[in-house]
Amino acid sequence: MIETKPISQSQRTPIIDILRGWALFSVAVMNYSTIYSWNNHSKDSDSNSLSETLKIISETIFESKGWTLLAILFGYGFSVLLKNIKQNGQNHYTFFINRMLWLFVFGFINSLFFGGDILTDYAFMGLILLMFYNCSTRSLFILSVTILLLTPALQSLLGRHHLLFTPKYRDIFYELYNSHTTLDSVKANLYMRYKWMLRLSYSVILHLIQLGCFILGMAFQRSNFFEMIDRKPRIVLKKIVFYSLIISIVMFLLQMVVDKNDWTINDYYNLYYPVALSLTVFSSSLICWIYFSGYFKSTFNLIKATGRMTLTNYVLQNIISFFLFICIRPNWSWYWYFLAGIIIYILQVFFSNWWLKKYNYGLLEWLWRSLSYKKWFPLIKVK
């Protein structure tokens, strides 16, 4: 049997881990805000000024930005991993199918604690992504941009025919969730993950956006995009930051005008994902520009550790939120959920740095790697 070598720590691109850390932070804030809406869906909305201000900030900066960025980075990592597997002479299809099956197992366990799990989506869409692995870099870019541009039109088409939302699935979820027992909360999470999320707005639209992001990430890796901006950060990144900022402002203001005046543009081209994706590009490119400019090195070094433990930290965030917000259900205002996401992430930053001083991988990263390669890698660092 040919020995398969995993990616060594020296081969890692630091900015990828930093972007993963930022995405993990965005996902924490978004998920905790989502759980607030579950706990208060039948109550009057929290309308104090602090909550309203933070909601606007959260929706603008975090909502749908974390998981779209993670999807791009997943596609990037997918391409790196399969490239190494092929170079080592192992059947990359067999390897990756096995790896995605184990990711689905992790996702199923995670969905017991949080019904909005994305790991099972990544496992399923990862298998679909295999179909595009032999495409050229140019084809990958064209295909990803086409999917991301056309999906909002499909979203509007399905919306006009009232096919995106199924209230009865939502009602059954809340019936289970409102039972206020741990077992029914788990059932509610499973119902959301494997039934409610089969509605077309999720099973078709969101998965197409995920696929477009996956393919874009794979194209970035093939084109050595992050290595290129590492060599010429000011030239490349300034342009990306500037143009993505202009597009984001235009898209954001257009969405506000459309909503305020009840224009029908969303009936033909839904602006939600174009706004979210443009802001994702802007925030990510801004982080890259700041990093390559040499600012906040110590902060970025801390955040990098959370990116190396994305899987462990993501599942841990959901386990904490399950017991804190779903089992206990404190009568908190929205901003406390928001702040809890920030505080827990900060604690994870210090935990991750402490952990990686003693261990080679995050716990779940180590387990996933060992199961994927079918051999046990050393977890504890040798002094």
Side-chain angles (χ1 to χ4, degrees):
M1 179 182 292
I2 298 175
E3 179 71 14
T4 303
K5 297 180 181 180
I7 302 172
S8 66
Q9 298 302 329
S10 61
Q11 291 176 282
R12 301 182 73 96
T13 305
I15 189 60
I16 297 297
D17 289 327
I18 290 168
L19 289 174
R20 285 196 181 112
W22 166 254
L24 185 68
F25 173 61
S26 301
V27 167
V29 173
M30 183 183 70
N31 286 351
Y32 283 26
S33 300
T34 297
I35 295 174
Y36 171 84
S37 68
W38 297 351
N39 288 343
N40 296 274
H41 67 94
S42 59
K43 302 177 184 177
D44 293 334
S45 60
D46 189 344
S47 58
N48 70 73
S49 58
L50 178 58
S51 289
E52 290 303 314
T53 301
L54 290 177
K55 281 180 184 179
I56 294 172
I57 295 173
S58 177
E59 290 172 1
T60 303
I61 298 177
F62 302 117
E63 187 173 331
S64 293
K65 285 59 171 194
W67 70 259
T68 49
L69 177 56
L70 280 177
I72 294 172
L73 298 174
F74 179 93
Y76 180 94
F78 165 96
S79 189
V80 170
L81 183 62
L82 289 191
K83 177 183 176 181
N84 284 303
I85 293 299
K86 287 188 70 175
Q87 288 177 346
N88 286 321
Q90 189 175 5
N91 186 309
H92 57 287
Y93 289 106
T94 302
F95 171 85
F96 201 74
I97 289 171
N98 175 63
R99 187 166 174 82
M100 291 301 99
L101 289 175
W102 281 114
L103 182 60
F104 184 87
V105 171
F106 290 136
F108 176 80
I109 294 171
N110 184 59
S111 65
L112 299 175
F113 300 99
F114 182 63
D117 164 72
I118 59 173
L119 298 180
T120 48
D121 290 318
Y122 282 16
F124 172 70
M125 297 307 296
L127 296 176
I128 301 297
L129 194 57
L130 272 176
M131 299 169 54
F132 304 98
Y133 180 68
N134 291 320
C135 292
S136 67
T137 303
R138 179 183 176 85
S139 297
L140 290 173
F141 272 119
I142 293 174
L143 183 59
S144 64
V145 172
T146 300
I147 291 173
L148 294 175
L149 287 177
L150 293 183
T151 300
L154 176 61
Q155 184 178 8
S156 294
L157 176 64
L158 295 175
R160 289 201 305 274
H161 291 84
H162 307 288
L163 297 174
L164 290 178
F165 189 61
T166 307
K168 68 176 182 179
Y169 292 162
R170 176 202 59 194
D171 295 341
I172 295 174
F173 164 76
Y174 280 127
E175 183 180 343
L176 287 168
Y177 192 78
N178 290 337
S179 297
H180 295 277
T181 68
T182 301
L183 180 59
D184 282 336
S185 294
V186 171
K187 290 179 180 178
N189 285 331
L190 292 175
Y191 186 87
M192 167 175 276
R193 173 66 274 183
Y194 303 106
K195 186 65 176 181
W196 185 9
M197 287 190 173
L198 291 178
R199 66 195 190 279
L200 292 183
S201 60
Y202 191 92
S203 61
V204 175
I205 302 304
L206 185 137
H207 283 141
L208 281 174
I209 295 295
Q210 276 187 342
L211 180 61
C213 291
F214 285 173
I215 295 174
L216 181 61
M218 189 159 57
F220 279 152
Q221 191 281 323
R222 297 277 187 86
S223 63
N224 296 316
F225 174 77
F226 289 103
E227 289 76 11
M228 177 184 66
I229 62 175
D230 193 1
R231 292 193 299 270
K232 300 179 180 179
R234 295 189 178 185
I235 297 174
V236 177
L237 285 172
K238 275 189 175 181
K239 291 182 179 180
I240 298 175
V241 170
F242 176 76
Y243 288 116
S244 63
L245 174 60
I246 297 301
I247 293 172
S248 297
I249 292 174
V250 171
M251 295 295 297
F252 184 75
L253 292 177
L254 177 59
Q255 181 69 75
M256 288 181 61
V257 172
V258 168
D259 293 341
K260 183 177 180 179
N261 295 282
D262 293 325
W263 290 352
T264 60
I265 184 174
N266 283 317
D267 292 338
Y268 301 94
Y269 194 82
N270 195 295
L271 294 174
Y272 178 79
Y273 283 117
V275 171
L277 289 168
S278 64
L279 286 168
T280 298
V281 173
F282 168 68
S283 60
S284 303
S285 59
L286 180 62
I287 289 171
C288 290
W289 182 81
I290 295 172
Y291 170 75
F292 286 117
S293 296
Y295 299 114
F296 306 112
K297 285 186 177 181
S298 58
T299 301
F300 281 125
N301 285 332
L302 288 173
I303 293 174
K304 185 166 59 179
T306 63
R308 288 176 55 190
M309 293 176 54
T310 305
L311 179 60
T312 298
N313 282 319
Y314 172 67
V315 173
L316 185 58
Q317 284 175 1
N318 294 328
I319 292 174
I320 292 172
S321 67
F322 178 79
F323 289 105
L324 177 60
F325 294 129
I326 296 178
C327 292
I328 299 177
R329 301 196 190 189
N331 186 25
W332 288 355
S333 297
W334 180 88
Y335 63 81
W336 283 113
Y337 285 73
F338 177 83
L339 293 175
I342 296 175
I343 292 169
I344 288 173
Y345 177 76
I346 291 173
L347 292 175
Q348 287 187 316
V349 167
F350 290 102
F351 169 75
S352 299
N353 279 273
W354 170 82
W355 179 273
L356 290 175
K357 288 179 181 178
K358 299 177 178 292
Y359 304 98
N360 290 311
Y361 315 99
L363 184 60
L364 292 185
E365 284 77 11
W366 167 77
L367 183 58
W368 190 24
R369 181 183 292 264
S370 297
L371 292 171
S372 298
Y373 287 97
K374 299 180 181 179
K375 57 175 291 188
W376 295 108
F377 291 95
L379 176 60
I380 301 175
K381 286 185 175 180
V382 178
K383 296 183 179 179

